[in-house]
Amino acid sequence: MVELHQPKSSTKSFLVCVLAVVILGIAPTADARIRHYKFDVKYEYRSPDCYQKLVITVNGLSPGPTIVAQQGDTVIVDVTNDLGTENLAIHWHGIRQRGTPWSDGTEGVTQCPILPGETFTYKFVVDRAGTYLYHAHYGMQREAGLYGMIRVALPDGVSEPFPYDYDRSIILNDWYHKSTYEQAAGLSSIPFGWVGEPQSLLIHGRGRFDCSSLGTGSGVCNSTNPECSPYVMTIVPGKTYRLRGHNLTVVEADGHYVEPFTVKNLFIYSGETYSVLVKANQDPSRNYWITSNVVSRKPATPTGLGVFNYYPNHPRRRPPTVPTSGPVWNDTAPRLAQSLGIKAEQGYIHSPPLTSDRVMVFLNTQNKINGYFHWSINNVSYTLPQTPYLIALKKGLHNAFNQTPPPDGYGFLNYDIFKVQNNTNATSSNSIYRLKFNTTIDIILQNANTMTPNNSETHPWHLHGHDFWVLGYGEGKFDIKNDPKKYNLINPIMKNTVPVHPYSWTALRFQSDNPGVWAFHCHIESHFYMGMGVVFEEGIEKVGKLPSSIMGCGATKGYH
Amino acid sequence: MVELHQPKSSTKSFLVCVLAVVILGIAPTADARIRHYKFDVKYEYRSPDCYQKLVITVNGLSPGPTIVAQQGDTVIVDVTNDLGTENLAIHWHGIRQRGTPWSDGTEGVTQCPILPGETFTYKFVVDRAGTYLYHAHYGMQREAGLYGMIRVALPDGVSEPFPYDYDRSIILNDWYHKSTYEQAAGLSSIPFGWVGEPQSLLIHGRGRFDCSSLGTGSGVCNSTNPECSPYVMTIVPGKTYRLRGHNLTVVEADGHYVEPFTVKNLFIYSGETYSVLVKANQDPSRNYWITSNVVSRKPATPTGLGVFNYYPNHPRRRPPTVPTSGPVWNDTAPRLAQSLGIKAEQGYIHSPPLTSDRVMVFLNTQNKINGYFHWSINNVSYTLPQTPYLIALKKGLHNAFNQTPPPDGYGFLNYDIFKVQNNTNATSSNSIYRLKFNTTIDIILQNANTMTPNNSETHPWHLHGHDFWVLGYGEGKFDIKNDPKKYNLINPIMKNTVPVHPYSWTALRFQSDNPGVWAFHCHIESHFYMGMGVVFEEGIEKVGKLPSSIMGCGATKGYH
């Protein structure tokens, strides 16, 4: 069995992550410049896994076109909403939006949605080289297919701390056959209708559903449709050969250089991006499988397959081996070990402040509120106001949302994270955390049992507008006295997305130095939809003049 | 064979029409008052014809709750959009909105759409007794199930010119299993994807699809679901008995009294409302079928069935006869005859002006524009601007839409309405007709061949903000010299919706006396979506202060 890599879909729901398989020189470009893109967003019939359904495309594509830029460039994206009756917002995942908080693309937080027929212009500076994402950030729209990549090259004359020949990118995604409307209607129903396991794991927008498993008259599913032939990555064999499987050497995560480490499988969580080096050092007379599998939940979704094509073998030539089935789905240990193993690369360490000004502990739980299932943080399930926070706060509209802040912690003394808890005091709220500007904030994400006995899930948390230092991970309940002593303050990696493992905790530190209003949420689309997130405000008084294009909803209707 | 009535779905597409089977006294009420409704609009799973799909409901219902009021009352409807990511607008069909043009509910014409999470308040006076409708007026959203009835009773002390015992209402609708997103994506694709024939004809929200025609694994279809048991109208048998079928005596159309005429089948077109009297004078020991069938297109949809239940027979007792199959679908003559037979009731005639100030001839055609199929008026296919006309005109925003008016006629001298025409000069535009205030306008709707040889369809045209006099109908090409001489200027009926029959013309007259901006369009959802409509402006300077709630899109974004 020879395999390339096994990125893992970690949890119940949607996964967007980028694996940039970096193999020769990003062509250096001239001075900082404008990169102007036009995105036409519409519903079109597509068959990414052979099953035909309506997909949200960008310029006819899903995944959408890759945004390519150089560090320091200004990216302008004119987004035209051609969805008919549905609104839109696009988030530029991993871009910190310093000075342009209104371009973060988070509906309800930084802007009103883009209405059908409208063209909205996002404009921001890509201030750091690396691999990033974009995707819809409105309702559960991302799951309909609106996602793509952003690749930011280094400035001229600067080189990366690792050699490679060619640069290739793969984006991974879970794929559901039901529309996001159907999924969302189930999630907000009594009785609860769970979206279920994805039908396919897409590798760069391609999968292969078993059409024969459907009855007749059940929609169009055509296994011979070229749209769903496996993704093929063609590579030129090098001069060195080894007989064992391809190894993956991880060199970048979320735009930061990683102290290189080599694995055969890489666990990737929704919203994470990685660059890995792969030596094409295997038998060049054949092709190899690229595989992707679900972990953390018992997989009901078949392995995602692509082809690692050794030139000049025919790209459609089937690898002679059976694809691997992936690691044991419920073995948390290797996932925790990978998390702990990621450190900043020597020479590229951003040293964290040694102490923090405020510590918040965020209990991750499920609740039932008025009969509906929710995900909550400290027993508060997040809802969005009609008037986006950025506008409400800048304009002093105090009635636009609940002004009482949510709690900084939960009753951890008496809370058993290994048991189903009643959480009878759970509530929904659109209140937010207001951070003192230019202070250091610690967040401990505390995982716990869900409403199902002996069950705790994996949640990849994504912070908008910032990178954070990952100070530590641990099993069980966070010990506020002893665990901080084990924090890695020497070479912690910075990231924008990080998992909290089942029955475990993850500790982060960031600086409230980016004027704006920023979401921090579980990146699993259905969890976020069910309230698993919070919002931070910092330095609102330092935010510049808001563009009128972000208005039009809530208290910002009207002619001016 | 004994049958109650056979309302007919006239054309390709969606039908909303109300048949108010009027049988005893609308309870008289007190002085003019406020009728306050709260509509919560959301997607929910429903099985109106046994096939489960997402339906747009109002307070959990489709059809939505009936609005009941008395002439002179003010109706307030607080509409909350809980559709998640989709906007909304609701039109109050047949209500003239005198003094409240911003409450007409026509997205793009009189208001910006209602955003998800928002509550929009419609407020209007119901100034005339009669039977009306409400339905979504945004994209093709009406087809998703958002429709219902408005019943306006006479003032205290005023009685109707016909006796009856009980008042019952039935609303008819075509039903598609595909979502409106799927239908709309097909209509705006190359190649064109036709929505096809409806899967069911619903009678008051109920139909019965043959679940066994579906394969396995093709969605939920359960013939034993009580949701899709046939609609039952229970009636008390009277004292007079006749052995022949139930007759229908038509007494009201679109809120105007009709010179009574009696039929066995009534042709009803999308957007029309009728009141008919039915004598329960048949054999009371059994039940009778209520049937509805498609005409004007070759039916591919089974007969819609309801039960006319003679008390005390069990409502579920099957009528002993086979339901009728309806009249010959392509026989236009009886339909034209019914149209010609509808006159205003003596004593309730509104005399029309004997001459008009402006005559417009509207050629109804299909075109291809840039490869896409469209419906057009005088070869102009209608599109909506980003800023609603009502706001753009009132605020003098001249860049909001094309200021060049569309043509008042077409090249009728050389146009053969019986042949497929190239119409190579067809175009799309958001330009509008500006009418001189308080003048008399004649519209001749001229039907023609579609892009299919030997094919001309039926189009029910609906005018917002007005009733019009129906001056005449005729076959073939309208003769501007001789046909006006045959106009009925004595007792023409006033309506808000009227059909133009295949290869025929229909002549209307109305007064431009209602300050505002008003749509006039084919009421078939897919035709309107494909551009079959125009917009009239009249007396814009007399329109009062616009509420800010209608703003928020196009040029009306921004904080004020």
Side-chain angles (χ1 to χ4, degrees):
Chain A
M1 188 66 56
V2 184
E3 73 204 79
L4 173 60
H5 55 69
Q6 291 173 310
K8 301 302 173 298
S9 163
S10 63
T11 60
K12 289 190 177 182
S13 182
F14 183 97
L15 168 80
V16 173
C17 46
V18 167
L19 182 80
V21 181
V22 181
I23 320 176
L24 174 152
I26 294 168
T29 52
D31 282 352
R33 53 180 175 174
I34 304 286
R35 307 280 184 157
H36 202 151
Y37 288 83
K38 288 183 189 297
F39 278 14
D40 180 29
V41 178
K42 63 164 88 160
Y43 274 108
E44 297 185 281
Y45 279 106
R46 289 288 181 275
S47 305
D49 68 346
C50 305
Y51 182 88
Q52 191 186 60
K53 63 166 281 189
L54 277 188
V55 172
I56 297 184
T57 60
V58 177
N59 302 343
L61 304 171
S62 173
T66 296
I67 290 180
V68 179
Q70 190 179 23
Q71 184 174 310
D73 287 351
T74 296
V75 173
I76 298 175
V77 189
D78 298 322
V79 175
T80 299
N81 178 355
D82 273 329
L83 295 175
T85 53
E86 187 171 322
N87 302 316
L88 178 64
I90 301 182
H91 172 53
W92 315 94
H93 180 119
I95 308 300
R96 290 172 294 181
Q97 303 289 355
R98 298 184 73 92
T100 53
W102 45 77
S103 278
D104 193 47
T106 313
E107 188 276 333
V109 178
T110 64
Q111 69 168 103
C112 291
I114 308 169
L115 270 59
E118 288 184 355
T119 297
F120 184 94
T121 299
Y122 290 99
K123 184 176 176 181
F124 50 86
V125 172
V126 287
D127 60 0
R128 196 184 58 231
T131 316
Y132 308 103
L133 302 167
Y134 65 82
H135 56 74
H137 209 295
Y138 185 54
M140 292 180 69
Q141 207 168 51
R142 187 182 70 191
E143 291 211 10
L146 201 174
Y147 65 102
M149 295 183 54
I150 304 172
R151 272 164 47 191
V152 183
L154 283 167
D156 292 352
V158 179
S159 60
E160 277 156 328
F162 41 83
Y164 56 89
D165 298 304
Y166 293 102
D167 190 346
R168 296 283 182 276
S169 301
I170 305 176
I171 190 163
L172 306 172
N173 193 13
D174 290 3
W175 195 245
Y176 292 88
H177 290 175
K178 284 195 170 175
S179 72
T180 53
Y181 283 92
E182 292 171 303
Q183 295 176 45
L187 294 176
S188 46
S189 290
I190 300 175
F192 181 70
W194 172 239
V195 295
E197 299 297 322
Q199 277 65 56
S200 298
L201 300 178
L202 302 189
I203 297 181
H204 219 68
R206 287 159 179 268
R208 180 167 283 263
F209 183 73
D210 177 12
C211 293
S212 68
S213 67
L214 297 175
T216 52
S218 54
V220 179
C221 195
N222 177 2
S223 304
T224 65
N225 188 332
E227 268 190 79
C228 59
S229 62
Y231 170 74
V232 174
M233 176 180 289
T234 300
I235 52 117
V236 177
K239 293 181 177 155
T240 313
Y241 300 89
R242 277 177 60 191
L243 290 175
R244 288 173 47 243
H246 289 86
N247 287 322
L248 308 174
T249 302
V250 179
V251 294
E252 181 223 332
D254 293 10
H256 290 277
Y257 296 131
V258 170
E259 189 176 277
F261 64 98
T262 300
V263 291
K264 297 197 64 173
N265 307 314
L266 185 64
F267 297 102
I268 307 179
Y269 303 92
S270 177
E272 289 190 317
T273 61
Y274 285 98
S275 288
V276 300
L277 301 184
V278 182
K279 275 216 161 166
N281 56 6
Q282 301 299 300
D283 174 3
S285 70
R286 52 163 288 195
N287 290 334
Y288 296 83
W289 289 115
I290 301 171
T291 61
S292 126
N293 283 290
V294 171
V295 290
S296 186
R297 279 171 58 89
K298 192 168 182 181
T301 309
T303 298
L305 292 177
V307 174
F308 199 59
N309 165 232
Y310 268 65
Y311 182 85
N313 293 290
H314 193 282
R316 297 272 162 256
R317 190 174 161 203
R318 196 179 168 85
T321 52
V322 176
T324 50
S325 55
V328 181
W329 69 271
N330 57 356
D331 182 5
T332 309
R335 305 205 298 273
L336 184 60
Q338 178 186 301
S339 291
L340 286 165
I342 301 178
K343 316 280 186 202
E345 167 76 325
Q346 287 298 327
Y348 297 90
I349 297 170
H350 300 272
S351 292
L354 297 179
T355 58
S356 71
D357 300 301
R358 182 172 175 185
V359 178
M360 291 188 265
V361 184
F362 286 171
L363 177 70
N364 289 223
T365 53
Q366 273 180 334
N367 315 105
K368 234 177 178 175
I369 303 174
N370 300 326
Y372 294 93
F373 279 95
H374 286 269
W375 286 96
S376 305
I377 301 312
N378 296 340
N379 283 317
V380 178
S381 185
Y382 154 78
T383 62
L384 287 170
Q386 282 312 113
T387 309
Y389 296 109
L390 182 63
I391 309 169
L393 287 163
K394 189 72 188 166
K395 302 282 184 186
L397 309 174
H398 301 301
N399 296 325
F401 63 92
N402 180 351
Q403 300 288 307
T404 308
D408 275 22
Y410 69 106
F412 28 80
L413 279 180
N414 303 307
Y415 197 99
D416 186 346
I417 66 158
F418 297 98
K419 291 239 167 72
V420 174
Q421 297 287 340
N422 270 331
N423 296 317
T424 45
N425 58 341
T427 182
S428 290
S429 175
N430 59 18
S431 63
I432 67 171
Y433 294 93
R434 304 195 64 166
L435 308 180
K436 200 171 168 196
F437 190 66
N438 253 337
T439 58
T440 303
I441 309 296
D442 280 9
I443 305 284
I444 291 92
L445 296 164
Q446 175 65 62
N447 213 338
N449 208 100
T450 64
M451 291 178 71
T452 308
N454 301 313
N455 177 252
S456 180
E457 304 201 348
T458 304
H459 303 287
W461 278 80
H462 172 59
L463 178 60
H464 292 222
H466 306 75
D467 294 332
F468 46 73
W469 289 276
V470 185
L471 300 185
Y473 299 85
E475 290 181 293
K477 189 150 79 165
F478 180 73
D479 176 345
I480 205 153
K481 193 159 175 193
N482 295 304
D483 283 329
K485 296 176 190 162
K486 301 177 221 157
Y487 283 171
N488 175 8
L489 300 171
I490 307 301
N491 60 348
I493 187 75
M494 296 196 86
K495 290 184 104 274
N496 61 57
T497 307
V498 74
V500 54
H501 296 288
Y503 299 115
S504 298
W505 56 264
T506 300
L508 319 174
R509 179 167 291 176
F510 70 96
Q511 284 180 301
S512 57
D513 58 358
N514 189 6
V517 188
W518 309 105
F520 179 47
H521 60 88
C522 177
H523 206 262
I524 296 172
E525 192 82 323
S526 56
H527 290 193
F528 181 52
Y529 180 80
M530 293 164 72
M532 198 168 206
V534 300
V535 171
F536 300 122
E537 173 274 329
E538 65 206 43
I540 189 71
E541 66 288 350
K542 295 183 171 58
V543 170
K545 185 172 184 303
L546 301 180
S548 64
S549 61
I550 67 170
M551 305 186 186
C553 58
T556 67
K557 287 174 175 293
Y559 179 69
H560 61 132
Chain B
M1 188 68 54
V2 184
E3 73 203 79
L4 173 59
H5 54 69
Q6 291 173 311
K8 300 303 174 296
S9 163
S10 63
T11 60
K12 287 189 178 183
S13 181
F14 183 95
L15 169 81
V16 172
C17 47
V18 166
L19 183 79
V21 181
V22 181
I23 323 179
L24 176 151
I26 294 168
T29 52
D31 283 348
R33 53 179 176 173
I34 304 287
R35 307 279 183 157
H36 202 150
Y37 288 84
K38 289 182 188 297
F39 278 15
D40 180 29
V41 178
K42 63 164 90 162
Y43 274 108
E44 296 185 281
Y45 279 106
R46 290 287 182 273
S47 305
D49 68 347
C50 305
Y51 182 89
Q52 189 185 63
K53 62 166 282 190
L54 277 188
V55 172
I56 298 184
T57 59
V58 177
N59 302 343
L61 304 171
S62 173
T66 297
I67 290 180
V68 178
Q70 191 179 23
Q71 185 174 308
D73 286 352
T74 295
V75 173
I76 298 175
V77 189
D78 297 324
V79 175
T80 299
N81 177 355
D82 273 329
L83 295 175
T85 53
E86 186 172 323
N87 302 316
L88 177 64
I90 301 183
H91 172 54
W92 315 93
H93 180 119
I95 308 301
R96 289 172 293 181
Q97 303 289 354
R98 299 183 72 91
T100 53
W102 46 76
S103 278
D104 193 46
T106 313
E107 188 276 332
V109 178
T110 65
Q111 69 169 105
C112 292
I114 309 169
L115 270 60
E118 287 184 356
T119 297
F120 184 94
T121 299
Y122 291 99
K123 184 176 176 181
F124 50 86
V125 173
V126 287
D127 60 359
R128 195 184 60 231
T131 316
Y132 308 102
L133 301 167
Y134 64 82
H135 56 74
H137 209 294
Y138 184 54
M140 293 181 68
Q141 207 168 51
R142 187 182 70 191
E143 291 211 10
L146 201 174
Y147 65 103
M149 295 182 53
I150 304 172
R151 272 164 47 192
V152 182
L154 283 167
D156 292 352
V158 180
S159 61
E160 277 156 329
F162 41 83
Y164 56 88
D165 298 305
Y166 294 102
D167 190 346
R168 296 284 182 276
S169 301
I170 304 176
I171 191 163
L172 306 172
N173 193 11
D174 290 3
W175 195 246
Y176 292 88
H177 290 175
K178 284 195 170 175
S179 72
T180 53
Y181 283 92
E182 292 170 303
Q183 295 176 46
L187 294 177
S188 46
S189 289
I190 299 176
F192 181 70
W194 173 240
V195 295
E197 300 297 322
Q199 276 65 57
S200 298
L201 300 179
L202 303 188
I203 297 182
H204 219 68
R206 286 159 180 269
R208 180 167 283 263
F209 182 73
D210 176 13
C211 294
S212 69
S213 67
L214 297 175
T216 53
S218 54
V220 179
C221 194
N222 177 2
S223 303
T224 64
N225 189 331
E227 270 190 77
C228 59
S229 62
Y231 170 72
V232 174
M233 177 180 289
T234 300
I235 53 117
V236 177
K239 290 176 181 161
T240 314
Y241 299 89
R242 276 176 59 190
L243 291 174
R244 288 172 47 242
H246 290 86
N247 288 322
L248 308 173
T249 301
V250 180
V251 293
E252 182 224 331
D254 292 11
H256 290 277
Y257 296 131
V258 170
E259 188 175 277
F261 64 99
T262 299
V263 292
K264 296 197 65 174
N265 307 313
L266 186 63
F267 297 101
I268 307 179
Y269 303 92
S270 176
E272 289 190 317
T273 61
Y274 285 99
S275 288
V276 301
L277 302 183
V278 182
K279 275 217 160 163
N281 57 5
Q282 301 299 300
D283 174 4
S285 70
R286 51 162 289 194
N287 290 334
Y288 296 81
W289 288 116
I290 301 170
T291 62
S292 127
N293 283 290
V294 171
V295 290
S296 185
R297 279 171 58 90
K298 191 168 184 180
T301 309
T303 298
L305 292 177
V307 174
F308 199 59
N309 165 232
Y310 268 65
Y311 184 83
N313 293 290
H314 192 284
R316 296 271 162 258
R317 190 174 162 204
R318 196 178 168 84
T321 52
V322 175
T324 50
S325 56
V328 181
W329 69 271
N330 57 356
D331 183 5
T332 310
R335 304 206 298 273
L336 185 58
Q338 178 184 301
S339 290
L340 286 165
I342 301 179
K343 316 280 186 203
E345 167 76 324
Q346 287 297 327
Y348 297 92
I349 296 170
H350 300 274
S351 293
L354 296 180
T355 58
S356 71
D357 300 301
R358 182 172 174 185
V359 179
M360 290 187 263
V361 184
F362 285 172
L363 177 71
N364 289 222
T365 52
Q366 274 181 333
N367 313 106
K368 232 176 180 176
I369 304 174
N370 300 326
Y372 294 93
F373 279 95
H374 285 268
W375 286 96
S376 305
I377 302 312
N378 295 341
N379 284 317
V380 179
S381 185
Y382 152 79
T383 62
L384 287 170
Q386 281 312 113
T387 309
Y389 296 109
L390 182 63
I391 308 169
L393 287 163
K394 188 73 187 163
K395 301 284 184 186
L397 308 174
H398 301 301
N399 296 325
F401 63 92
N402 180 352
Q403 299 289 307
T404 307
D408 275 22
Y410 69 105
F412 26 81
L413 279 179
N414 303 308
Y415 197 99
D416 186 345
I417 65 158
F418 296 99
K419 292 238 165 76
V420 174
Q421 298 288 341
N422 269 332
N423 295 315
T424 45
N425 58 341
T427 181
S428 289
S429 175
N430 60 17
S431 63
I432 67 171
Y433 294 94
R434 304 195 64 167
L435 308 180
K436 202 171 167 195
F437 191 64
N438 254 337
T439 58
T440 303
I441 309 296
D442 279 8
I443 305 284
I444 292 91
L445 296 164
Q446 175 65 62
N447 213 338
N449 208 100
T450 64
M451 292 180 70
T452 309
N454 302 312
N455 177 252
S456 180
E457 305 201 349
T458 304
H459 303 288
W461 278 81
H462 172 59
L463 178 59
H464 292 223
H466 305 76
D467 293 333
F468 47 73
W469 290 277
V470 185
L471 299 186
Y473 298 87
E475 291 180 294
K477 191 151 79 166
F478 180 73
D479 176 346
I480 205 151
K481 195 161 175 193
N482 296 304
D483 283 330
K485 296 176 190 162
K486 302 177 221 156
Y487 282 171
N488 175 7
L489 299 171
I490 307 302
N491 61 349
I493 187 73
M494 296 195 83
K495 290 184 104 272
N496 61 58
T497 306
V498 74
V500 55
H501 296 289
Y503 300 116
S504 298
W505 57 265
T506 300
L508 320 174
R509 180 167 290 176
F510 71 95
Q511 285 180 301
S512 58
D513 58 358
N514 189 5
V517 188
W518 308 105
F520 179 47
H521 60 88
C522 177
H523 207 261
I524 295 171
E525 192 81 323
S526 55
H527 291 193
F528 180 52
Y529 180 79
M530 292 163 74
M532 199 170 204
V534 300
V535 171
F536 300 123
E537 174 274 328
E538 65 205 42
I540 188 71
E541 66 288 350
K542 295 183 170 58
V543 170
K545 184 173 184 300
L546 301 179
S548 65
S549 61
I550 67 170
M551 305 187 187
C553 57
T556 68
K557 287 176 175 291
Y559 179 67
H560 63 133

